[in-house]
Amino acid sequence: MQRLGLRTVVRVPTTAYFGPKGTFTEQAARALAPGADFLPMPTIPEAVGAVRSGLAELACVPIENSVEGAVSAAMDTLAADAPPVVALAEYLLPIRFSILVRPGLKAADVRSIASHPHALAQVERWIQDTMPDAARRPASSTAGAAVGVQSGEFDAAVTAPVAASHYSLDVLATDVADERDAITRFLLLARPERLPEATGADRTSVIVVLSHQPGELAAVLNEFASRGINLTRIESRPLRNRFGEYRFYLDFDGHISEPRVADALGALRRRSQRVLFLGSYPKAEGNATEVTAPHRAADYELSGTWVAALLRGEQP
Ligand SMILES: O=C(O)C(=O)C[C@]1(C(=O)O)C=C[C@@H](O)C=C1
Protein backbone atom coordinates (compact mmCIF):
# COMPACT_ATOMS: atom_id res chain seq x y z
CA MET A 1 0.00 0.00 0.00
CA GLN A 2 1.37 3.38 -1.00
CA ARG A 3 0.28 6.74 0.61
CA LEU A 4 -0.06 9.65 -1.80
CA GLY A 5 -1.19 12.83 -0.07
CA LEU A 6 -4.73 12.30 1.17
CA ARG A 7 -5.50 9.43 -1.19
CA THR A 8 -4.60 5.86 -0.38
CA VAL A 9 -3.58 3.91 -3.46
CA VAL A 10 -3.63 0.12 -3.30
CA ARG A 11 -1.36 -1.31 -5.98
CA VAL A 12 -2.99 -4.26 -7.69
CA PRO A 13 -0.57 -6.84 -9.11
CA THR A 14 -0.20 -7.14 -12.85
CA THR A 15 -0.99 -10.70 -13.85
CA ALA A 16 0.26 -11.89 -17.22
CA TYR A 17 -1.60 -14.82 -18.74
CA PHE A 18 -1.50 -17.02 -21.82
CA GLY A 19 -3.82 -15.09 -24.12
CA PRO A 20 -5.16 -13.41 -26.14
CA LYS A 21 -8.38 -12.35 -24.39
CA GLY A 22 -10.88 -15.15 -23.86
CA THR A 23 -8.63 -18.17 -23.21
CA PHE A 24 -9.31 -20.74 -20.52
CA THR A 25 -6.10 -19.41 -18.95
CA GLU A 26 -7.67 -15.95 -18.59
CA GLN A 27 -10.56 -17.58 -16.75
CA ALA A 28 -8.14 -19.36 -14.41
CA ALA A 29 -6.10 -16.14 -13.92
CA ARG A 30 -9.24 -14.22 -12.90
CA ALA A 31 -10.12 -16.92 -10.39
CA LEU A 32 -6.56 -17.10 -8.97
CA ALA A 33 -5.85 -13.34 -8.84
CA PRO A 34 -9.21 -11.57 -8.55
CA GLY A 35 -8.96 -7.80 -8.96
CA ALA A 36 -5.54 -7.88 -10.62
CA ASP A 37 -4.58 -5.95 -13.75
CA PHE A 38 -4.54 -8.57 -16.49
CA LEU A 39 -1.99 -8.66 -19.28
CA PRO A 40 -2.57 -11.13 -22.13
CA MET A 41 0.63 -12.56 -23.68
CA PRO A 42 0.72 -14.44 -26.99
CA THR A 43 2.68 -17.48 -25.75
CA ILE A 44 3.29 -19.38 -22.51
CA PRO A 45 7.05 -18.52 -22.44
CA GLU A 46 6.17 -14.83 -22.86
CA ALA A 47 3.64 -14.97 -20.00
CA VAL A 48 6.28 -16.49 -17.68
CA GLY A 49 8.92 -14.16 -19.15
CA ALA A 50 6.81 -11.17 -18.06
CA VAL A 51 7.31 -12.23 -14.43
CA ARG A 52 10.99 -13.01 -14.93
CA SER A 53 11.63 -9.57 -16.42
CA GLY A 54 9.55 -7.70 -13.83
CA LEU A 55 6.91 -6.59 -16.36
CA ALA A 56 4.31 -8.45 -14.26
CA GLU A 57 4.18 -9.66 -10.65
CA LEU A 58 2.20 -12.81 -11.45
CA ALA A 59 1.65 -15.12 -14.42
CA CYS A 60 -0.99 -17.76 -15.05
CA VAL A 61 -0.25 -20.69 -17.36
CA PRO A 62 -1.82 -24.11 -18.05
CA ILE A 63 0.33 -26.99 -16.84
CA GLU A 64 -1.59 -30.23 -17.51
CA ASN A 65 -4.85 -31.51 -18.92
CA SER A 66 -6.57 -34.73 -17.90
CA VAL A 67 -7.01 -35.79 -21.55
CA GLU A 68 -3.86 -34.54 -23.28
CA GLY A 69 -1.41 -34.62 -20.36
CA ALA A 70 1.43 -32.18 -19.78
CA VAL A 71 1.49 -28.77 -21.49
CA SER A 72 5.06 -29.11 -22.74
CA ALA A 73 5.57 -25.37 -23.45
CA ALA A 74 4.86 -24.66 -19.77
CA MET A 75 7.02 -27.54 -18.52
CA ASP A 76 10.00 -26.44 -20.63
CA THR A 77 9.60 -22.78 -19.68
CA LEU A 78 9.62 -23.61 -15.97
CA ALA A 79 12.91 -25.49 -16.41
CA ALA A 80 14.53 -22.88 -18.67
CA ASP A 81 17.95 -21.48 -17.83
CA ALA A 82 16.40 -18.13 -16.78
CA PRO A 83 15.51 -16.34 -13.53
CA PRO A 84 13.49 -18.79 -11.41
CA VAL A 85 9.77 -18.61 -10.75
CA VAL A 86 7.68 -20.48 -8.19
CA ALA A 87 4.02 -21.41 -7.97
CA LEU A 88 1.87 -19.51 -5.44
CA ALA A 89 -1.36 -21.34 -6.22
CA GLU A 90 -3.02 -23.81 -8.59
CA TYR A 91 -6.48 -23.98 -10.10
CA LEU A 92 -8.51 -26.82 -11.62
CA LEU A 93 -10.90 -25.78 -14.39
CA PRO A 94 -13.48 -28.18 -15.89
CA ILE A 95 -13.14 -27.93 -19.67
CA ARG A 96 -16.17 -27.66 -22.00
CA PHE A 97 -15.77 -25.95 -25.35
CA SER A 98 -17.83 -23.65 -27.56
CA ILE A 99 -17.54 -23.73 -31.35
CA LEU A 100 -17.43 -20.22 -32.83
CA VAL A 101 -17.89 -19.58 -36.55
CA ARG A 102 -17.94 -16.63 -38.91
CA PRO A 103 -21.44 -15.02 -38.77
CA GLY A 104 -23.97 -16.96 -40.82
CA LEU A 105 -21.87 -20.10 -41.30
CA LYS A 106 -23.53 -23.54 -40.76
CA ALA A 107 -21.70 -26.73 -39.72
CA ALA A 108 -21.91 -28.02 -43.31
CA ASP A 109 -20.04 -24.91 -44.59
CA VAL A 110 -17.05 -25.33 -42.26
CA ARG A 111 -13.92 -26.21 -44.26
CA SER A 112 -11.38 -25.56 -41.49
CA ILE A 113 -11.57 -25.68 -37.70
CA ALA A 114 -8.74 -24.32 -35.58
CA SER A 115 -7.62 -24.33 -31.96
CA HIS A 116 -4.81 -25.01 -29.54
CA PRO A 117 -3.68 -28.61 -30.26
CA HIS A 118 -4.81 -29.65 -26.74
CA ALA A 119 -8.29 -28.32 -27.45
CA LEU A 120 -8.57 -29.94 -30.90
CA ALA A 121 -7.59 -33.29 -29.38
CA GLN A 122 -10.36 -32.93 -26.77
CA VAL A 123 -13.13 -32.53 -29.39
CA GLU A 124 -11.87 -34.85 -32.17
CA ARG A 125 -14.87 -37.22 -31.83
CA TRP A 126 -17.27 -34.27 -32.02
CA ILE A 127 -15.53 -32.96 -35.18
CA GLN A 128 -15.68 -36.47 -36.70
CA ASP A 129 -19.43 -36.62 -36.04
CA THR A 130 -20.27 -33.03 -37.02
CA MET A 131 -17.85 -31.85 -39.72
CA PRO A 132 -15.60 -34.82 -40.61
CA ASP A 133 -14.13 -33.15 -43.69
CA ALA A 134 -13.05 -29.93 -41.97
CA ALA A 135 -9.26 -29.47 -41.91
CA ARG A 136 -7.93 -29.36 -38.34
CA ARG A 137 -5.63 -26.34 -37.94
CA PRO A 138 -3.36 -25.65 -34.96
CA ALA A 139 -3.57 -22.17 -33.42
CA SER A 140 -1.55 -20.50 -30.66
CA SER A 141 -4.47 -20.86 -28.20
CA THR A 142 -8.24 -21.34 -28.27
CA ALA A 143 -8.75 -17.55 -28.37
CA GLY A 144 -5.95 -17.26 -30.94
CA ALA A 145 -8.13 -19.49 -33.15
CA ALA A 146 -11.10 -17.13 -32.64
CA VAL A 147 -8.90 -14.23 -33.80
CA GLY A 148 -8.05 -16.33 -36.87
CA VAL A 149 -11.75 -16.89 -37.62
CA GLN A 150 -12.40 -13.15 -37.34
CA SER A 151 -9.60 -12.40 -39.80
CA GLY A 152 -10.88 -15.02 -42.28
CA GLU A 153 -7.96 -17.45 -41.78
CA PHE A 154 -10.23 -20.26 -40.45
CA ASP A 155 -13.97 -21.00 -40.64
CA ALA A 156 -14.43 -22.24 -37.07
CA ALA A 157 -12.65 -22.13 -33.71
CA VAL A 158 -12.80 -24.45 -30.70
CA THR A 159 -12.82 -22.00 -27.77
CA ALA A 160 -13.57 -21.41 -24.13
CA PRO A 161 -17.21 -20.35 -23.63
CA VAL A 162 -16.04 -16.86 -22.48
CA ALA A 163 -14.47 -16.22 -25.92
CA ALA A 164 -17.99 -15.68 -27.36
CA SER A 165 -18.22 -12.36 -25.49
CA HIS A 166 -14.86 -11.10 -26.81
CA TYR A 167 -15.17 -11.84 -30.54
CA SER A 168 -17.97 -10.98 -32.99
CA LEU A 169 -18.61 -14.55 -34.09
CA ASP A 170 -21.62 -16.88 -34.09
CA VAL A 171 -21.87 -19.66 -31.52
CA LEU A 172 -22.43 -22.87 -33.49
CA ALA A 173 -22.33 -25.21 -30.48
CA THR A 174 -21.74 -25.10 -26.71
CA ASP A 175 -20.87 -27.66 -24.05
CA VAL A 176 -18.72 -29.66 -26.48
CA ALA A 177 -16.29 -32.20 -24.97
CA ASP A 178 -15.44 -35.78 -25.90
CA GLU A 179 -14.60 -36.39 -22.23
CA ARG A 180 -17.30 -34.86 -20.05
CA ASP A 181 -15.03 -34.67 -17.00
CA ALA A 182 -11.93 -33.15 -18.62
CA ILE A 183 -9.99 -30.80 -16.35
CA THR A 184 -7.03 -28.48 -16.96
CA ARG A 185 -4.71 -27.51 -14.12
CA PHE A 186 -3.21 -24.01 -14.06
CA LEU A 187 -0.42 -22.48 -11.97
CA LEU A 188 -0.11 -18.92 -10.69
CA LEU A 189 3.61 -18.06 -10.81
CA ALA A 190 5.71 -15.34 -9.17
CA ARG A 191 9.35 -14.52 -8.55
CA PRO A 192 10.61 -16.62 -5.64
CA GLU A 193 10.74 -13.86 -3.04
CA ARG A 194 7.49 -15.01 -1.43
CA LEU A 195 6.40 -18.42 -0.25
CA PRO A 196 2.78 -19.12 0.64
CA GLU A 197 2.30 -20.22 4.25
CA ALA A 198 1.55 -23.87 4.97
CA THR A 199 -2.18 -24.63 5.13
CA GLY A 200 -2.05 -28.36 5.95
CA ALA A 201 -3.35 -29.09 2.42
CA ASP A 202 -0.35 -28.17 0.29
CA ARG A 203 1.57 -29.41 -2.71
CA THR A 204 5.27 -28.99 -3.49
CA SER A 205 6.76 -29.13 -6.99
CA VAL A 206 10.37 -29.70 -8.04
CA ILE A 207 12.37 -30.50 -11.15
CA VAL A 208 15.36 -32.80 -10.77
CA VAL A 209 18.00 -34.02 -13.22
CA LEU A 210 19.37 -37.43 -12.27
CA SER A 211 22.58 -39.19 -13.24
CA HIS A 212 22.45 -42.34 -15.40
CA GLN A 213 23.08 -44.88 -12.67
CA PRO A 214 21.15 -48.08 -12.04
CA GLY A 215 18.46 -47.49 -9.44
CA GLU A 216 18.84 -43.70 -9.26
CA LEU A 217 15.18 -42.93 -10.02
CA ALA A 218 14.05 -45.69 -7.65
CA ALA A 219 16.32 -44.21 -4.94
CA VAL A 220 14.80 -40.75 -5.43
CA LEU A 221 11.26 -42.13 -5.26
CA ASN A 222 12.23 -43.97 -2.10
CA GLU A 223 13.29 -40.69 -0.46
CA PHE A 224 9.59 -39.78 -0.61
CA ALA A 225 8.20 -43.21 0.25
CA SER A 226 10.42 -43.59 3.32
CA ARG A 227 9.19 -40.24 4.68
CA GLY A 228 5.51 -41.05 4.12
CA ILE A 229 5.17 -38.44 1.34
CA ASN A 230 2.51 -39.00 -1.31
CA LEU A 231 3.74 -38.28 -4.85
CA THR A 232 0.87 -36.89 -6.94
CA ARG A 233 2.60 -36.58 -10.31
CA ILE A 234 5.79 -37.59 -12.05
CA GLU A 235 6.62 -36.54 -15.62
CA SER A 236 9.82 -36.56 -17.60
CA ARG A 237 10.90 -34.22 -20.38
CA PRO A 238 14.00 -34.53 -22.55
CA LEU A 239 16.90 -32.16 -21.82
CA ARG A 240 16.53 -30.76 -25.39
CA ASN A 241 20.28 -30.45 -26.03
CA ARG A 242 21.33 -33.88 -24.72
CA PHE A 243 19.64 -36.85 -26.38
CA GLY A 244 18.70 -39.64 -23.97
CA GLU A 245 18.81 -37.42 -20.86
CA TYR A 246 15.75 -36.25 -19.00
CA ARG A 247 14.55 -34.00 -16.25
CA PHE A 248 11.90 -35.28 -13.87
CA TYR A 249 9.02 -33.15 -12.63
CA LEU A 250 7.72 -34.26 -9.25
CA ASP A 251 4.61 -33.00 -7.45
CA PHE A 252 3.96 -34.26 -3.94
CA ASP A 253 1.78 -33.58 -0.90
CA GLY A 254 3.24 -31.31 1.77
CA HIS A 255 4.92 -27.93 2.31
CA ILE A 256 8.66 -27.19 2.47
CA SER A 257 8.18 -25.83 6.01
CA GLU A 258 7.22 -29.35 7.22
CA PRO A 259 10.26 -31.32 8.47
CA ARG A 260 9.56 -34.49 6.45
CA VAL A 261 9.31 -32.43 3.24
CA ALA A 262 12.41 -30.32 3.98
CA ASP A 263 14.25 -33.57 4.81
CA ALA A 264 13.20 -35.19 1.49
CA LEU A 265 14.20 -32.06 -0.46
CA GLY A 266 17.59 -32.08 1.27
CA ALA A 267 18.04 -35.75 0.34
CA LEU A 268 17.19 -34.91 -3.29
CA ARG A 269 19.76 -32.12 -3.30
CA ARG A 270 22.43 -34.48 -1.92
CA ARG A 271 21.68 -36.82 -4.85
CA SER A 272 21.59 -34.15 -7.56
CA GLN A 273 23.14 -30.71 -7.96
CA ARG A 274 20.33 -29.88 -10.32
CA VAL A 275 17.17 -29.56 -8.24
CA LEU A 276 14.86 -26.68 -9.07
CA PHE A 277 12.29 -25.80 -6.37
CA LEU A 278 9.02 -24.79 -8.03
CA GLY A 279 7.18 -23.84 -4.86
CA SER A 280 4.93 -25.05 -2.03
CA TYR A 281 1.34 -23.87 -2.45
CA PRO A 282 -2.21 -24.80 -1.43
CA LYS A 283 -3.65 -27.80 -3.28
CA ALA A 284 -6.67 -26.92 -5.41
CA GLU A 285 -8.58 -29.94 -4.06
CA GLY A 286 -8.18 -28.55 -0.53
CA ASN A 287 -8.09 -31.99 1.12
CA ALA A 288 -5.79 -31.96 4.16
CA THR A 289 -2.67 -34.12 3.92
CA GLU A 290 -2.78 -36.88 6.49
CA VAL A 291 0.60 -37.28 8.18
CA THR A 292 1.07 -40.27 10.46
CA ALA A 293 3.83 -41.36 12.86
CA PRO A 294 6.81 -41.38 12.49
CA HIS A 295 6.62 -38.62 9.86
CA ARG A 296 4.86 -35.84 11.83
CA ALA A 297 6.66 -32.62 12.80
CA ALA A 298 6.40 -33.76 16.45
CA ASP A 299 8.25 -37.00 15.60
CA TYR A 300 11.11 -35.00 14.02
CA GLU A 301 11.24 -32.70 17.04
CA LEU A 302 11.47 -35.67 19.40
CA SER A 303 14.26 -37.35 17.44
CA GLY A 304 16.14 -34.04 17.07
CA THR A 305 15.98 -33.41 20.83
CA TRP A 306 17.17 -36.96 21.48
CA VAL A 307 20.21 -36.63 19.17
CA ALA A 308 21.05 -33.20 20.66
CA ALA A 309 21.06 -34.77 24.12
CA LEU A 310 23.34 -37.60 22.96
CA LEU A 311 25.73 -35.00 21.54
CA ARG A 312 25.82 -33.30 24.95
CA GLY A 313 26.92 -36.62 26.45
CA GLU A 314 23.53 -37.36 28.00
CA GLN A 315 21.62 -40.66 27.79
CA PRO A 316 17.94 -39.56 27.83
O1 LIG B 1 -5.97 -22.01 -25.33
C1 LIG B 1 -6.45 -21.85 -24.20
O2 LIG B 1 -7.57 -21.35 -24.00
C2 LIG B 1 -5.68 -22.28 -23.06
O3 LIG B 1 -5.85 -21.71 -22.01
C3 LIG B 1 -4.73 -23.44 -23.21
C4 LIG B 1 -5.35 -24.80 -22.97
C5 LIG B 1 -4.23 -25.89 -22.76
O4 LIG B 1 -3.06 -25.59 -22.82
O5 LIG B 1 -4.59 -27.04 -22.50
C6 LIG B 1 -6.13 -24.76 -21.72
C7 LIG B 1 -7.24 -25.48 -21.52
C8 LIG B 1 -7.78 -26.39 -22.56
O6 LIG B 1 -7.39 -27.70 -22.18
C9 LIG B 1 -7.23 -26.10 -23.91
C10 LIG B 1 -6.17 -25.26 -24.09
Side-chain angles (χ1 to χ4, degrees):
M1 196 137 86
Q2 197 183 334
R3 293 217 124 217
L4 281 184
L6 288 177
R7 281 177 50 219
T8 300
V9 178
V10 179
R11 241 184 63 68
V12 291
T14 300
T15 302
Y17 69 88
F18 174 41
K21 266 181 178 303
T23 54
F24 285 106
T25 312
E26 179 182 359
Q27 224 176 309
R30 288 186 183 279
L32 283 166
D37 271 342
F38 292 97
L39 179 64
M41 301 301 280
T43 65
I44 291 173
E46 284 168 278
V48 180
V51 167
R52 289 184 160 135
S53 70
L55 181 65
E57 278 82 42
L58 303 169
C60 184
V61 295
I63 190 81
E64 63 172 319
N65 170 261
S66 59
V67 177
E68 276 301 285
V71 179
S72 43
M75 307 281 278
D76 290 350
T77 300
L78 288 175
D81 190 11
V85 290
V86 293
L88 298 184
E90 65 175 7
Y91 189 70
L92 300 179
L93 184 63
I95 301 293
R96 298 280 172 95
F97 298 93
S98 291
I99 310 296
L100 306 190
V101 292
R102 247 178 300 127
L105 226 61
K106 302 270 172 300
D109 309 324
V110 173
R111 303 261 169 280
S112 62
I113 180 160
S115 199
H116 187 277
H118 266 198
L120 282 175
Q122 292 179 73
V123 298
E124 176 54 33
R125 268 204 318 268
W126 182 89
I127 298 176
Q128 273 294 343
D129 293 345
T130 321
M131 44 182 76
D133 297 329
R136 283 67 154 171
R137 294 276 156 73
S140 59
S141 68
T142 54
V147 172
V149 174
Q150 256 187 354
S151 69
E153 196 182 342
F154 316 117
D155 291 339
V158 181
T159 70
V162 290
S165 57
H166 292 295
Y167 303 95
S168 338
L169 299 172
D170 278 3
V171 180
L172 184 74
T174 56
D175 207 28
V176 174
D178 292 351
E179 295 300 336
R180 307 305 291 169
D181 296 324
I183 283 182
T184 297
R185 176 174 164 238
F186 297 84
L187 292 181
L188 186 68
L189 302 166
R191 290 182 292 281
E193 53 249 22
R194 43 199 178 140
L195 182 71
E197 274 177 27
T199 65
D202 305 290
R203 193 180 324 280
T204 295
S205 300
V206 293
I207 300 175
V208 59
V209 180
L210 303 178
S211 61
H212 262 301
Q213 281 172 39
E216 193 58 18
L217 178 60
V220 161
L221 298 185
N222 198 42
E223 301 288 8
F224 294 99
S226 63
R227 290 172 178 87
I229 295 173
N230 179 35
L231 269 186
T232 54
R233 182 180 182 221
I234 174 165
E235 293 266 354
S236 68
R237 291 278 305 151
L239 283 194
R240 295 173 76 102
N241 55 354
R242 275 186 279 153
F243 182 72
E245 296 200 36
Y246 302 88
R247 56 173 66 91
F248 292 90
Y249 294 70
L250 307 174
D251 287 352
F252 49 91
D253 283 348
H255 190 280
I256 189 173
S257 64
E258 297 172 63
R260 73 185 192 294
V261 174
D263 207 35
L265 287 173
L268 229 61
R269 180 62 185 80
R270 287 191 291 280
R271 291 187 174 279
S272 168
Q273 287 183 6
R274 287 183 290 168
V275 183
L276 187 60
F277 175 66
L278 291 180
S280 288
Y281 48 91
K283 280 191 277 188
E285 304 93 310
N287 58 317
T289 303
E290 202 191 324
V291 188
T292 52
H295 308 296
R296 300 163 307 181
D299 301 315
Y300 276 84
E301 203 180 312
L302 199 86
S303 59
T305 312
W306 180 69
V307 172
L310 296 179
L311 285 168
R312 286 194 305 269
E314 298 165 14
Q315 276 290 359

